[in-house]
Amino acid sequence: MAKSPGRLTIFAGTGDLVPHAIDAALAAGYKVQVMALTPRPDITAVKVIVADVANPLAIIWSLKVFRTSHILMVGAIHLPDKAREGLIRFANGNNPTKSASSAPVGDATLAALGTVLKKMTGADLIGVHELSPDLLAPEGHIAGPDVASDDAVFALQTARAIGRLDIGQAAVVSGRRVIAVEDIGGTDDLIARVGTLRRNGLAGDGAARLTLAKAMKPQQPGFADLPAIGPTTVENCAAAGIATIVVEAGRSLLLMRADLLAAADKHGITITGVVIGDE
Amino acid sequence: MAKSPGRLTIFAGTGDLVPHAIDAALAAGYKVQVMALTPRPDITAVKVIVADVANPLAIIWSLKVFRTSHILMVGAIHLPDKAREGLIRFANGNNPTKSASSAPVGDATLAALGTVLKKMTGADLIGVHELSPDLLAPEGHIAGPDVASDDAVFALQTARAIGRLDIGQAAVVSGRRVIAVEDIGGTDDLIARVGTLRRNGLAGDGAARLTLAKAMKPQQPGFADLPAIGPTTVENCAAAGIATIVVEAGRSLLLMRADLLAAADKHGITITGVVIGDE
């Protein structure tokens, strides 16, 4: 039997990517422990510990006991402001003079807290795409009708700009007009909102196609969650009247790819992978 | 009797500012004609023409007949994509080779179409704050509890950044965390959304105050609508749990100021005018 690649603690948020990541880690030979940041009764293949973000020291202790060598953060986390304020104080060593503020911060800044974990445990932070490189979106036409979209680059640049401001990872545009952008409510909320705006006659009745784009937050550490789309994203877009989905090639994830492609074909929704410069 | 300052055509969208602008224009001695971009049965003091954006030439003709010397655009407009595409074609002289695209554009770009109106009619474009300088928000504490907000500048910079991307004029933050930003749904929608996010436990339970900021889109022409708040904004913020409103001093409007200040005092909501650099 080959040597184990290490002992992996998975910080698990919501979403379909979590069980996939566990399977990929087990297949790669890792010993796996899950710290659930949200209830995950669906996970039974490995030991699950409920992570209490109000008690970061208990989390560190669990990692020490497990002798964690690698840490993976996967799935969306929904931390309210109070939990964020507590984590910032913890990251500052509970030293109120060290930082001018313990005000809540956005998700990209929060993800940088992973470096505190690394420092306190010695474990390496890895990204889910390192376990499953096949998840990464390729460049070019991926699924659905192969129509060129003039708006793809504009859409992706808008998603990137929103990410740079640590607001969200997604944007919906119509031509050169931004319809709505993702906030802390997440992508599904954004798509539903666009559906409402469209039904109210405010967008999407012209020649331009409604286009959803998702891009990585440029300041986001590589181990943090990459933007992802799955079959549900496609179903939601179909319901909202969004005709095109643009993802950042090599920096976003395609979940349940067979189902994703089937959903895109079924609803006639185009999925394209695009590379834009880092500017 | 003093000489009339001119003949003013008011392009009227939705909102409380429109009748105020008409009153101010009449008080200043203008002859006033209203082109209603949305139904305005409330306007009876002056002649109202229903403006059909699908027929821009008819609008130009009305201005010629009225011998318009000044144009004022006031109130929010909700033009769907099809109308935007038509206006862009019109601005390009219906010449498809002149522009690479007749794709819909955002509101700041649309406002720049005012220069086409100016070119075709010779009229001067003015802003409502030129009729009523008393509408402009001052710098410093304006209403409600006089508490300093560390987040005011961050909030206003976020609103400005969103405006630069022509997404909207408003943002809600908690500390250094962006909760949500205005999209084509408008400010009231944004505030309601924040209320939902807060009730779902995703924001606003910590020490940081939820702060709404509104800032002018930096690329917006001076005659276009400045961001505005009124008593309804305050009532909506109170319902959503937003404790502070930050406006850009000298570049935003306070509507129905007496009612606005009373609402802020009643609900204990702080209103502050802040100046940020144009960077």
Side-chain angles (χ1 to χ4, degrees), chain A residues 80-82 84-85 104 174 176-177 179-180 183-184 193 201 204-205 207-208, chain B residues 80-82 84-85 104 174 176-177 179-180 183-184 193 201 204-205 207-208:
Chain A
D81 289 343
K82 196 171 180 180
R84 287 166 193 264
E85 289 167 0
S174 173
R176 298 295 179 271
R177 180 189 185 204
I179 302 301
D183 56 32
I184 69 165
R193 207 155 77 235
D205 64 336
Chain B
D81 288 342
K82 196 171 180 178
R84 287 166 193 264
E85 289 167 358
S174 172
R176 299 295 180 272
R177 179 189 185 204
I179 302 300
D183 56 34
I184 68 165
R193 206 155 77 234
D205 64 336

PDB file of all heavy atoms in Angstrom, chain A residues 80-82 84-85 104 174 176-177 179-180 183-184 193 201 204-205 207-208, chain B residues 80-82 84-85 104 174 176-177 179-180 183-184 193 201 204-205 207-208:
ATOM      1  N   PRO A  80     -22.380  35.234  10.255  1.00  0.00           N
ATOM      2  CA  PRO A  80     -22.909  36.568  10.551  1.00  0.00           C
ATOM      3  C   PRO A  80     -21.812  37.458  11.132  1.00  0.00           C
ATOM      4  O   PRO A  80     -20.695  37.011  11.417  1.00  0.00           O
ATOM      5  CB  PRO A  80     -24.018  36.295  11.559  1.00  0.00           C
ATOM      6  CG  PRO A  80     -23.652  34.991  12.194  1.00  0.00           C
ATOM      7  CD  PRO A  80     -22.882  34.207  11.166  1.00  0.00           C
ATOM      8  N   ASP A  81     -22.148  38.748  11.292  1.00  0.00           N
ATOM      9  CA  ASP A  81     -21.145  39.732  11.710  1.00  0.00           C
ATOM     10  C   ASP A  81     -20.503  39.402  13.047  1.00  0.00           C
ATOM     11  O   ASP A  81     -19.306  39.595  13.240  1.00  0.00           O
ATOM     12  CB  ASP A  81     -21.804  41.120  11.792  1.00  0.00           C
ATOM     13  CG  ASP A  81     -22.122  41.668  10.411  1.00  0.00           C
ATOM     14  OD1 ASP A  81     -21.559  41.154   9.436  1.00  0.00           O
ATOM     15  OD2 ASP A  81     -22.925  42.601  10.323  1.00  0.00           O
ATOM     16  N   LYS A  82     -21.294  38.908  13.996  1.00  0.00           N
ATOM     17  CA  LYS A  82     -20.764  38.642  15.332  1.00  0.00           C
ATOM     18  C   LYS A  82     -19.644  37.596  15.259  1.00  0.00           C
ATOM     19  O   LYS A  82     -18.584  37.754  15.878  1.00  0.00           O
ATOM     20  CB  LYS A  82     -21.894  38.156  16.242  1.00  0.00           C
ATOM     21  CG  LYS A  82     -21.552  38.212  17.708  1.00  0.00           C
ATOM     22  CD  LYS A  82     -22.795  37.924  18.546  1.00  0.00           C
ATOM     23  CE  LYS A  82     -22.463  37.976  20.028  1.00  0.00           C
ATOM     24  NZ  LYS A  82     -23.668  37.708  20.833  1.00  0.00           N
ATOM     25  N   ARG A  84     -17.824  36.961  12.652  1.00  0.00           N
ATOM     26  CA  ARG A  84     -16.691  37.577  11.960  1.00  0.00           C
ATOM     27  C   ARG A  84     -15.875  38.453  12.908  1.00  0.00           C
ATOM     28  O   ARG A  84     -14.646  38.445  12.890  1.00  0.00           O
ATOM     29  CB  ARG A  84     -17.188  38.427  10.778  1.00  0.00           C
ATOM     30  CG  ARG A  84     -17.681  37.584   9.626  1.00  0.00           C
ATOM     31  CD  ARG A  84     -18.482  38.368   8.603  1.00  0.00           C
ATOM     32  NE  ARG A  84     -19.159  37.445   7.713  1.00  0.00           N
ATOM     33  CZ  ARG A  84     -18.679  37.066   6.531  1.00  0.00           C
ATOM     34  NH1 ARG A  84     -17.564  37.593   6.074  1.00  0.00           N
ATOM     35  NH2 ARG A  84     -19.318  36.193   5.805  1.00  0.00           N
ATOM     36  N   GLU A  85     -16.574  39.220  13.747  1.00  0.00           N
ATOM     37  CA  GLU A  85     -15.884  40.075  14.714  1.00  0.00           C
ATOM     38  C   GLU A  85     -15.052  39.225  15.674  1.00  0.00           C
ATOM     39  O   GLU A  85     -13.910  39.563  16.000  1.00  0.00           O
ATOM     40  CB  GLU A  85     -16.914  40.923  15.487  1.00  0.00           C
ATOM     41  CG  GLU A  85     -17.549  42.030  14.630  1.00  0.00           C
ATOM     42  CD  GLU A  85     -18.789  42.686  15.276  1.00  0.00           C
ATOM     43  OE1 GLU A  85     -19.159  42.286  16.395  1.00  0.00           O
ATOM     44  OE2 GLU A  85     -19.358  43.582  14.641  1.00  0.00           O
ATOM     45  N   PRO A 104     -16.392  43.572  11.320  1.00  0.00           N
ATOM     46  CA  PRO A 104     -16.511  42.435  10.410  1.00  0.00           C
ATOM     47  C   PRO A 104     -15.862  42.725   9.061  1.00  0.00           C
ATOM     48  O   PRO A 104     -15.794  43.875   8.640  1.00  0.00           O
ATOM     49  CB  PRO A 104     -18.011  42.233  10.258  1.00  0.00           C
ATOM     50  CG  PRO A 104     -18.678  43.365  10.934  1.00  0.00           C
ATOM     51  CD  PRO A 104     -17.690  44.050  11.791  1.00  0.00           C
ATOM     52  N   SER A 174     -26.599  42.578 -19.395  1.00  0.00           N
ATOM     53  CA  SER A 174     -27.331  42.539 -20.660  1.00  0.00           C
ATOM     54  C   SER A 174     -26.625  43.541 -21.552  1.00  0.00           C
ATOM     55  O   SER A 174     -26.726  44.743 -21.340  1.00  0.00           O
ATOM     56  CB  SER A 174     -28.791  42.936 -20.416  1.00  0.00           C
ATOM     57  OG  SER A 174     -29.478  43.069 -21.632  1.00  0.00           O
ATOM     58  N   ARG A 176     -23.904  45.913 -22.466  1.00  0.00           N
ATOM     59  CA  ARG A 176     -22.929  46.607 -21.617  1.00  0.00           C
ATOM     60  C   ARG A 176     -23.620  47.177 -20.381  1.00  0.00           C
ATOM     61  O   ARG A 176     -23.142  48.136 -19.775  1.00  0.00           O
ATOM     62  CB  ARG A 176     -22.245  47.736 -22.392  1.00  0.00           C
ATOM     63  CG  ARG A 176     -21.446  47.278 -23.604  1.00  0.00           C
ATOM     64  CD  ARG A 176     -20.251  46.402 -23.206  1.00  0.00           C
ATOM     65  NE  ARG A 176     -19.504  45.946 -24.374  1.00  0.00           N
ATOM     66  CZ  ARG A 176     -19.774  44.821 -25.030  1.00  0.00           C
ATOM     67  NH1 ARG A 176     -20.772  44.039 -24.649  1.00  0.00           N
ATOM     68  NH2 ARG A 176     -19.045  44.479 -26.077  1.00  0.00           N
ATOM     69  N   ARG A 177     -24.765  46.612 -20.053  1.00  0.00           N
ATOM     70  CA  ARG A 177     -25.547  47.081 -18.914  1.00  0.00           C
ATOM     71  C   ARG A 177     -25.479  46.036 -17.802  1.00  0.00           C
ATOM     72  O   ARG A 177     -25.790  44.868 -18.021  1.00  0.00           O
ATOM     73  CB  ARG A 177     -26.995  47.265 -19.358  1.00  0.00           C
ATOM     74  CG  ARG A 177     -27.932  47.749 -18.280  1.00  0.00           C
ATOM     75  CD  ARG A 177     -29.379  47.699 -18.762  1.00  0.00           C
ATOM     76  NE  ARG A 177     -30.252  48.272 -17.742  1.00  0.00           N
ATOM     77  CZ  ARG A 177     -31.546  47.986 -17.626  1.00  0.00           C
ATOM     78  NH1 ARG A 177     -32.120  47.145 -18.471  1.00  0.00           N
ATOM     79  NH2 ARG A 177     -32.259  48.533 -16.677  1.00  0.00           N
ATOM     80  N   ILE A 179     -27.024  44.303 -14.796  1.00  0.00           N
ATOM     81  CA  ILE A 179     -28.373  44.152 -14.259  1.00  0.00           C
ATOM     82  C   ILE A 179     -28.331  44.014 -12.740  1.00  0.00           C
ATOM     83  O   ILE A 179     -29.065  44.694 -12.011  1.00  0.00           O
ATOM     84  CB  ILE A 179     -29.063  42.924 -14.882  1.00  0.00           C
ATOM     85  CG1 ILE A 179     -29.113  43.052 -16.406  1.00  0.00           C
ATOM     86  CG2 ILE A 179     -30.452  42.713 -14.294  1.00  0.00           C
ATOM     87  CD1 ILE A 179     -29.856  44.272 -16.908  1.00  0.00           C
ATOM     88  N   ALA A 180     -27.477  43.134 -12.247  1.00  0.00           N
ATOM     89  CA  ALA A 180     -27.389  42.895 -10.800  1.00  0.00           C
ATOM     90  C   ALA A 180     -26.104  42.145 -10.507  1.00  0.00           C
ATOM     91  O   ALA A 180     -25.531  41.506 -11.390  1.00  0.00           O
ATOM     92  CB  ALA A 180     -28.592  42.091 -10.317  1.00  0.00           C
ATOM     93  N   ASP A 183     -24.290  39.463  -3.892  1.00  0.00           N
ATOM     94  CA  ASP A 183     -23.880  39.995  -2.593  1.00  0.00           C
ATOM     95  C   ASP A 183     -23.810  38.837  -1.612  1.00  0.00           C
ATOM     96  O   ASP A 183     -23.685  37.687  -2.028  1.00  0.00           O
ATOM     97  CB  ASP A 183     -24.834  41.115  -2.154  1.00  0.00           C
ATOM     98  CG  ASP A 183     -26.279  40.653  -2.111  1.00  0.00           C
ATOM     99  OD1 ASP A 183     -26.531  39.458  -1.818  1.00  0.00           O
ATOM    100  OD2 ASP A 183     -27.167  41.475  -2.367  1.00  0.00           O
ATOM    101  N   ILE A 184     -23.902  39.118  -0.309  1.00  0.00           N
ATOM    102  CA  ILE A 184     -23.730  38.022   0.652  1.00  0.00           C
ATOM    103  C   ILE A 184     -24.871  37.009   0.565  1.00  0.00           C
ATOM    104  O   ILE A 184     -24.782  35.933   1.149  1.00  0.00           O
ATOM    105  CB  ILE A 184     -23.580  38.532   2.111  1.00  0.00           C
ATOM    106  CG1 ILE A 184     -24.893  39.135   2.640  1.00  0.00           C
ATOM    107  CG2 ILE A 184     -22.442  39.526   2.245  1.00  0.00           C
ATOM    108  CD1 ILE A 184     -24.891  39.301   4.150  1.00  0.00           C
ATOM    109  N   ARG A 193     -33.249  37.083  -8.268  1.00  0.00           N
ATOM    110  CA  ARG A 193     -33.519  38.518  -8.334  1.00  0.00           C
ATOM    111  C   ARG A 193     -33.613  38.981  -9.785  1.00  0.00           C
ATOM    112  O   ARG A 193     -34.477  39.794 -10.138  1.00  0.00           O
ATOM    113  CB  ARG A 193     -32.388  39.250  -7.612  1.00  0.00           C
ATOM    114  CG  ARG A 193     -32.772  40.564  -7.044  1.00  0.00           C
ATOM    115  CD  ARG A 193     -31.875  40.927  -5.891  1.00  0.00           C
ATOM    116  NE  ARG A 193     -30.571  41.394  -6.276  1.00  0.00           N
ATOM    117  CZ  ARG A 193     -29.433  40.882  -5.856  1.00  0.00           C
ATOM    118  NH1 ARG A 193     -29.430  39.851  -5.043  1.00  0.00           N
ATOM    119  NH2 ARG A 193     -28.283  41.401  -6.216  1.00  0.00           N
ATOM    120  N   GLY A 201     -40.302  43.579 -16.175  1.00  0.00           N
ATOM    121  CA  GLY A 201     -40.080  44.357 -17.386  1.00  0.00           C
ATOM    122  C   GLY A 201     -38.895  45.303 -17.325  1.00  0.00           C
ATOM    123  O   GLY A 201     -38.770  46.198 -18.156  1.00  0.00           O
ATOM    124  N   GLY A 204     -33.947  42.499 -20.021  1.00  0.00           N
ATOM    125  CA  GLY A 204     -33.971  41.230 -20.725  1.00  0.00           C
ATOM    126  C   GLY A 204     -35.015  41.088 -21.814  1.00  0.00           C
ATOM    127  O   GLY A 204     -35.248  39.981 -22.285  1.00  0.00           O
ATOM    128  N   ASP A 205     -35.628  42.185 -22.261  1.00  0.00           N
ATOM    129  CA  ASP A 205     -36.630  42.069 -23.330  1.00  0.00           C
ATOM    130  C   ASP A 205     -36.069  42.466 -24.689  1.00  0.00           C
ATOM    131  O   ASP A 205     -36.806  42.510 -25.667  1.00  0.00           O
ATOM    132  CB  ASP A 205     -37.833  42.950 -22.999  1.00  0.00           C
ATOM    133  CG  ASP A 205     -37.451  44.433 -22.967  1.00  0.00           C
ATOM    134  OD1 ASP A 205     -36.250  44.712 -22.737  1.00  0.00           O
ATOM    135  OD2 ASP A 205     -38.308  45.283 -23.167  1.00  0.00           O
ATOM    136  N   ALA A 207     -32.605  42.575 -27.702  1.00  0.00           N
ATOM    137  CA  ALA A 207     -31.863  41.609 -28.506  1.00  0.00           C
ATOM    138  C   ALA A 207     -30.707  40.996 -27.718  1.00  0.00           C
ATOM    139  O   ALA A 207     -30.284  39.879 -27.997  1.00  0.00           O
ATOM    140  CB  ALA A 207     -31.329  42.300 -29.769  1.00  0.00           C
ATOM    141  N   ALA A 208     -30.189  41.726 -26.726  1.00  0.00           N
ATOM    142  CA  ALA A 208     -29.042  41.242 -25.963  1.00  0.00           C
ATOM    143  C   ALA A 208     -29.466  40.078 -25.056  1.00  0.00           C
ATOM    144  O   ALA A 208     -30.557  40.073 -24.503  1.00  0.00           O
ATOM    145  CB  ALA A 208     -28.451  42.367 -25.122  1.00  0.00           C
TER     146      ALA A 208
ATOM    147  N   PRO B  80     -36.436  49.357 -19.959  1.00  0.00           N
ATOM    148  CA  PRO B  80     -35.981  47.990 -20.234  1.00  0.00           C
ATOM    149  C   PRO B  80     -34.965  47.986 -21.375  1.00  0.00           C
ATOM    150  O   PRO B  80     -34.725  48.997 -22.027  1.00  0.00           O
ATOM    151  CB  PRO B  80     -37.267  47.248 -20.611  1.00  0.00           C
ATOM    152  CG  PRO B  80     -38.202  48.313 -21.083  1.00  0.00           C
ATOM    153  CD  PRO B  80     -37.831  49.580 -20.356  1.00  0.00           C
ATOM    154  N   ASP B  81     -34.383  46.800 -21.618  1.00  0.00           N
ATOM    155  CA  ASP B  81     -33.289  46.685 -22.582  1.00  0.00           C
ATOM    156  C   ASP B  81     -33.701  47.122 -23.985  1.00  0.00           C
ATOM    157  O   ASP B  81     -32.926  47.762 -24.688  1.00  0.00           O
ATOM    158  CB  ASP B  81     -32.783  45.240 -22.625  1.00  0.00           C
ATOM    159  CG  ASP B  81     -32.018  44.881 -21.364  1.00  0.00           C
ATOM    160  OD1 ASP B  81     -31.597  45.816 -20.655  1.00  0.00           O
ATOM    161  OD2 ASP B  81     -31.844  43.694 -21.084  1.00  0.00           O
ATOM    162  N   LYS B  82     -34.907  46.759 -24.398  1.00  0.00           N
ATOM    163  CA  LYS B  82     -35.337  47.062 -25.757  1.00  0.00           C
ATOM    164  C   LYS B  82     -35.335  48.584 -25.998  1.00  0.00           C
ATOM    165  O   LYS B  82     -34.860  49.066 -27.030  1.00  0.00           O
ATOM    166  CB  LYS B  82     -36.736  46.493 -25.993  1.00  0.00           C
ATOM    167  CG  LYS B  82     -37.127  46.417 -27.440  1.00  0.00           C
ATOM    168  CD  LYS B  82     -38.435  45.647 -27.597  1.00  0.00           C
ATOM    169  CE  LYS B  82     -38.829  45.559 -29.058  1.00  0.00           C
ATOM    170  NZ  LYS B  82     -40.068  44.779 -29.218  1.00  0.00           N
ATOM    171  N   ARG B  84     -33.555  50.739 -24.350  1.00  0.00           N
ATOM    172  CA  ARG B  84     -32.157  51.191 -24.340  1.00  0.00           C
ATOM    173  C   ARG B  84     -31.499  50.944 -25.705  1.00  0.00           C
ATOM    174  O   ARG B  84     -30.763  51.787 -26.209  1.00  0.00           O
ATOM    175  CB  ARG B  84     -31.374  50.460 -23.235  1.00  0.00           C
ATOM    176  CG  ARG B  84     -31.733  50.945 -21.847  1.00  0.00           C
ATOM    177  CD  ARG B  84     -31.235  50.021 -20.742  1.00  0.00           C
ATOM    178  NE  ARG B  84     -31.891  50.397 -19.500  1.00  0.00           N
ATOM    179  CZ  ARG B  84     -31.355  51.208 -18.581  1.00  0.00           C
ATOM    180  NH1 ARG B  84     -30.143  51.673 -18.744  1.00  0.00           N
ATOM    181  NH2 ARG B  84     -32.021  51.528 -17.501  1.00  0.00           N
ATOM    182  N   GLU B  85     -31.760  49.759 -26.263  1.00  0.00           N
ATOM    183  CA  GLU B  85     -31.186  49.438 -27.582  1.00  0.00           C
ATOM    184  C   GLU B  85     -31.669  50.438 -28.628  1.00  0.00           C
ATOM    185  O   GLU B  85     -30.887  50.905 -29.465  1.00  0.00           O
ATOM    186  CB  GLU B  85     -31.568  48.002 -27.971  1.00  0.00           C
ATOM    187  CG  GLU B  85     -30.847  46.936 -27.141  1.00  0.00           C
ATOM    188  CD  GLU B  85     -31.433  45.527 -27.297  1.00  0.00           C
ATOM    189  OE1 GLU B  85     -32.427  45.381 -28.031  1.00  0.00           O
ATOM    190  OE2 GLU B  85     -30.896  44.604 -26.669  1.00  0.00           O
ATOM    191  N   PRO B 104     -27.679  47.188 -24.994  1.00  0.00           N
ATOM    192  CA  PRO B 104     -28.111  48.091 -23.926  1.00  0.00           C
ATOM    193  C   PRO B 104     -26.939  48.555 -23.062  1.00  0.00           C
ATOM    194  O   PRO B 104     -25.938  47.855 -22.932  1.00  0.00           O
ATOM    195  CB  PRO B 104     -29.086  47.238 -23.108  1.00  0.00           C
ATOM    196  CG  PRO B 104     -29.020  45.858 -23.628  1.00  0.00           C
ATOM    197  CD  PRO B 104     -28.328  45.879 -24.937  1.00  0.00           C
ATOM    198  N   SER B 174     -21.260  46.595   6.741  1.00  0.00           N
ATOM    199  CA  SER B 174     -21.176  46.360   8.185  1.00  0.00           C
ATOM    200  C   SER B 174     -19.698  46.284   8.497  1.00  0.00           C
ATOM    201  O   SER B 174     -19.046  45.309   8.121  1.00  0.00           O
ATOM    202  CB  SER B 174     -21.891  45.049   8.524  1.00  0.00           C
ATOM    203  OG  SER B 174     -21.670  44.709   9.872  1.00  0.00           O
ATOM    204  N   ARG B 176     -16.060  46.569   7.702  1.00  0.00           N
ATOM    205  CA  ARG B 176     -15.365  46.562   6.405  1.00  0.00           C
ATOM    206  C   ARG B 176     -15.926  45.463   5.508  1.00  0.00           C
ATOM    207  O   ARG B 176     -15.278  45.000   4.587  1.00  0.00           O
ATOM    208  CB  ARG B 176     -13.859  46.360   6.600  1.00  0.00           C
ATOM    209  CG  ARG B 176     -13.164  47.439   7.416  1.00  0.00           C
ATOM    210  CD  ARG B 176     -13.199  48.784   6.704  1.00  0.00           C
ATOM    211  NE  ARG B 176     -12.547  49.824   7.483  1.00  0.00           N
ATOM    212  CZ  ARG B 176     -13.169  50.558   8.396  1.00  0.00           C
ATOM    213  NH1 ARG B 176     -14.468  50.359   8.660  1.00  0.00           N
ATOM    214  NH2 ARG B 176     -12.524  51.481   9.078  1.00  0.00           N
ATOM    215  N   ARG B 177     -17.149  45.071   5.808  1.00  0.00           N
ATOM    216  CA  ARG B 177     -17.795  44.001   5.051  1.00  0.00           C
ATOM    217  C   ARG B 177     -18.942  44.588   4.220  1.00  0.00           C
ATOM    218  O   ARG B 177     -19.822  45.247   4.767  1.00  0.00           O
ATOM    219  CB  ARG B 177     -18.343  42.963   6.034  1.00  0.00           C
ATOM    220  CG  ARG B 177     -19.059  41.801   5.394  1.00  0.00           C
ATOM    221  CD  ARG B 177     -19.760  40.954   6.452  1.00  0.00           C
ATOM    222  NE  ARG B 177     -20.344  39.766   5.829  1.00  0.00           N
ATOM    223  CZ  ARG B 177     -21.360  39.079   6.330  1.00  0.00           C
ATOM    224  NH1 ARG B 177     -21.887  39.420   7.492  1.00  0.00           N
ATOM    225  NH2 ARG B 177     -21.835  38.037   5.702  1.00  0.00           N
ATOM    226  N   ILE B 179     -22.323  44.238   2.560  1.00  0.00           N
ATOM    227  CA  ILE B 179     -23.470  43.338   2.688  1.00  0.00           C
ATOM    228  C   ILE B 179     -24.200  43.201   1.352  1.00  0.00           C
ATOM    229  O   ILE B 179     -24.495  42.090   0.902  1.00  0.00           O
ATOM    230  CB  ILE B 179     -24.455  43.870   3.762  1.00  0.00           C
ATOM    231  CG1 ILE B 179     -23.740  44.015   5.108  1.00  0.00           C
ATOM    232  CG2 ILE B 179     -25.687  42.970   3.877  1.00  0.00           C
ATOM    233  CD1 ILE B 179     -23.157  42.722   5.649  1.00  0.00           C
ATOM    234  N   ALA B 180     -24.499  44.309   0.705  1.00  0.00           N
ATOM    235  CA  ALA B 180     -25.224  44.276  -0.561  1.00  0.00           C
ATOM    236  C   ALA B 180     -25.075  45.624  -1.244  1.00  0.00           C
ATOM    237  O   ALA B 180     -24.780  46.636  -0.594  1.00  0.00           O
ATOM    238  CB  ALA B 180     -26.706  43.961  -0.343  1.00  0.00           C
ATOM    239  N   ASP B 183     -28.643  47.578  -7.387  1.00  0.00           N
ATOM    240  CA  ASP B 183     -28.599  47.239  -8.798  1.00  0.00           C
ATOM    241  C   ASP B 183     -29.766  47.939  -9.498  1.00  0.00           C
ATOM    242  O   ASP B 183     -30.282  48.922  -8.954  1.00  0.00           O
ATOM    243  CB  ASP B 183     -28.611  45.718  -8.989  1.00  0.00           C
ATOM    244  CG  ASP B 183     -29.814  45.070  -8.316  1.00  0.00           C
ATOM    245  OD1 ASP B 183     -30.899  45.691  -8.285  1.00  0.00           O
ATOM    246  OD2 ASP B 183     -29.685  43.944  -7.825  1.00  0.00           O
ATOM    247  N   ILE B 184     -30.188  47.445 -10.662  1.00  0.00           N
ATOM    248  CA  ILE B 184     -31.233  48.169 -11.388  1.00  0.00           C
ATOM    249  C   ILE B 184     -32.564  48.153 -10.641  1.00  0.00           C
ATOM    250  O   ILE B 184     -33.483  48.881 -10.999  1.00  0.00           O
ATOM    251  CB  ILE B 184     -31.425  47.634 -12.838  1.00  0.00           C
ATOM    252  CG1 ILE B 184     -32.004  46.216 -12.841  1.00  0.00           C
ATOM    253  CG2 ILE B 184     -30.141  47.683 -13.636  1.00  0.00           C
ATOM    254  CD1 ILE B 184     -32.542  45.812 -14.209  1.00  0.00           C
ATOM    255  N   ARG B 193     -33.763  44.071   0.768  1.00  0.00           N
ATOM    256  CA  ARG B 193     -32.927  42.863   0.682  1.00  0.00           C
ATOM    257  C   ARG B 193     -32.050  42.730   1.916  1.00  0.00           C
ATOM    258  O   ARG B 193     -31.875  41.629   2.451  1.00  0.00           O
ATOM    259  CB  ARG B 193     -32.079  42.971  -0.578  1.00  0.00           C
ATOM    260  CG  ARG B 193     -31.666  41.660  -1.144  1.00  0.00           C
ATOM    261  CD  ARG B 193     -31.390  41.792  -2.612  1.00  0.00           C
ATOM    262  NE  ARG B 193     -30.126  42.402  -2.910  1.00  0.00           N
ATOM    263  CZ  ARG B 193     -29.948  43.452  -3.697  1.00  0.00           C
ATOM    264  NH1 ARG B 193     -30.985  44.043  -4.244  1.00  0.00           N
ATOM    265  NH2 ARG B 193     -28.740  43.911  -3.940  1.00  0.00           N
ATOM    266  N   GLY B 201     -30.245  36.081   9.654  1.00  0.00           N
ATOM    267  CA  GLY B 201     -29.050  35.893  10.481  1.00  0.00           C
ATOM    268  C   GLY B 201     -27.740  36.001   9.733  1.00  0.00           C
ATOM    269  O   GLY B 201     -26.694  35.593  10.241  1.00  0.00           O
ATOM    270  N   GLY B 204     -25.463  41.829  10.485  1.00  0.00           N
ATOM    271  CA  GLY B 204     -26.018  42.848  11.352  1.00  0.00           C
ATOM    272  C   GLY B 204     -26.288  42.446  12.787  1.00  0.00           C
ATOM    273  O   GLY B 204     -26.988  43.161  13.486  1.00  0.00           O
ATOM    274  N   ASP B 205     -25.735  41.322  13.258  1.00  0.00           N
ATOM    275  CA  ASP B 205     -25.963  40.929  14.646  1.00  0.00           C
ATOM    276  C   ASP B 205     -24.777  41.281  15.546  1.00  0.00           C
ATOM    277  O   ASP B 205     -24.778  40.932  16.724  1.00  0.00           O
ATOM    278  CB  ASP B 205     -26.230  39.431  14.730  1.00  0.00           C
ATOM    279  CG  ASP B 205     -25.019  38.629  14.278  1.00  0.00           C
ATOM    280  OD1 ASP B 205     -24.201  39.178  13.509  1.00  0.00           O
ATOM    281  OD2 ASP B 205     -24.879  37.477  14.697  1.00  0.00           O
ATOM    282  N   ALA B 207     -21.317  44.072  16.704  1.00  0.00           N
ATOM    283  CA  ALA B 207     -21.166  45.415  17.257  1.00  0.00           C
ATOM    284  C   ALA B 207     -21.217  46.489  16.171  1.00  0.00           C
ATOM    285  O   ALA B 207     -21.600  47.628  16.429  1.00  0.00           O
ATOM    286  CB  ALA B 207     -19.844  45.510  18.021  1.00  0.00           C
ATOM    287  N   ALA B 208     -20.840  46.124  14.951  1.00  0.00           N
ATOM    288  CA  ALA B 208     -20.811  47.109  13.866  1.00  0.00           C
ATOM    289  C   ALA B 208     -22.233  47.490  13.451  1.00  0.00           C
ATOM    290  O   ALA B 208     -23.130  46.653  13.446  1.00  0.00           O
ATOM    291  CB  ALA B 208     -20.053  46.542  12.662  1.00  0.00           C
TER     292      ALA B 208
END
